[in-house]
Amino acid sequence: MSLVPLPVPHLDDPSSIPIDGIRLTLVARATLRSARHRLRDHLTAHGLDPEDACLVLSELAGNSLLHAGETAAVAWHLVGDLLHLTVADSAALSLPVLQGGCAREGGRGLLLVEQLTDEWGVRPLGTLGKETWCTVRLTAA
């Protein structure tokens, strides 16, 4: 999956850009909560349970903001009950997925992503950084 722009619920919001059914927003630490609420509102409006998707968004965007810089681009596209979610950042390297028995504090976000998604991966964006993508099958609310 490649990073593509997505429509936003609030067209007057300058941090979001609507394009062809895709919702794209630029996220910083201070706006991650707002992005999560936008996703929650979008999924709830379609009668879908947003909990797993919002947790995955928080983990992927949180990792990007923690390890890759001050901002990340978040995009999602809903097709029926399947959510396609991407987070792009300027870091070239991906983070390892820790195994469940690891004694280290923190660092288990990607393990959660692995458990909550149908599939996920990381795609290099050349000199621009990388994109972490996933698909999440959602259930009715």
Side-chain angles (χ1 to χ4, degrees), residues 4 9 33 35 40 45 52 62 81 83 107 111 118 134 137-138:
V4 289
R33 181 177 182 198
R40 179 180 309 279
D52 288 351
D81 65 349
L83 177 71
L111 181 61
D118 290 3
C134 67
R137 180 117 4 230
L138 303 168

Side-chain angles (χ1 to χ4, degrees), residues 36-85:
R36 193 173 50 247
H37 285 290
R38 274 191 208 116
L39 177 60
R40 179 180 309 279
D41 292 347
H42 181 79
L43 297 178
T44 300
H46 284 85
L48 298 167
D49 181 358
E51 295 308 314
D52 288 351
C54 288
L55 180 56
V56 169
L57 170 65
S58 291
E59 292 299 335
L60 295 181
N63 276 347
S64 287
L65 296 172
L66 179 63
H67 300 289
E70 296 298 314
T71 60
V74 174
W76 70 82
H77 186 222
L78 183 61
V79 179
D81 65 349
L82 191 62
L83 177 71
H84 303 275
L85 176 68

